[in-house]
Amino acid sequence: MSEIRIERADMKRDDDQFVGYTVFTIDGHSSPYEITFLSKNGRDWDYSLSFAGELGKKSNFCRSTSEWSRIMNCLMTCWMLR
């Protein structure tokens, strides 16, 4: 199982929505990733995943659905506990 390290994170509440991001690295991946979170009510969340800063290897980005599901669940749980 790959280890996830959070490098930096932030969340703000604007007028009618929550907007946050997390930059993180994963063991065995050459580039860091950034996930951006968006919610209008603080319960239902949308997110987008991209490379942080510069482009990384696409083969790392699309490794396995189960690995990415675990990572997304971990990061969303961290945000929900804040």
Side-chain angles (χ1 to χ4, degrees):
M1 190 176 289
S2 300
E3 187 170 322
I4 302 167
R5 288 181 200 80
I6 296 175
E7 294 182 0
R8 63 186 176 278
D10 190 26
M11 181 167 288
K12 296 184 182 343
R13 183 174 185 175
D14 293 335
D15 296 326
D16 63 340
Q17 64 185 6
F18 295 88
V19 179
Y21 76 93
T22 302
V23 175
F24 62 97
T25 58
I26 303 172
D27 285 347
H29 293 233
S30 58
S31 298
Y33 298 94
E34 180 172 350
I35 184 169
T36 303
F37 301 100
L38 175 67
S39 177
K40 294 204 180 262
N41 60 20
R43 290 183 310 272
D44 303 311
W45 293 87
D46 291 320
Y47 60 86
S48 115
L49 180 66
S50 59
F51 290 110
E54 59 189 59
L55 291 178
K57 290 182 172 181
K58 186 176 179 181
S59 60
N60 278 350
F61 198 81
C62 302
R63 272 188 133 154
S64 77
T65 304
S66 62
E67 182 180 25
W68 284 118
S69 293
R70 184 181 66 79
I71 291 165
M72 292 302 130
N73 287 335
C74 174
L75 293 171
M76 289 298 289
T77 299
C78 290
W79 274 117
M80 300 298 276
L81 294 174
R82 289 186 87 195

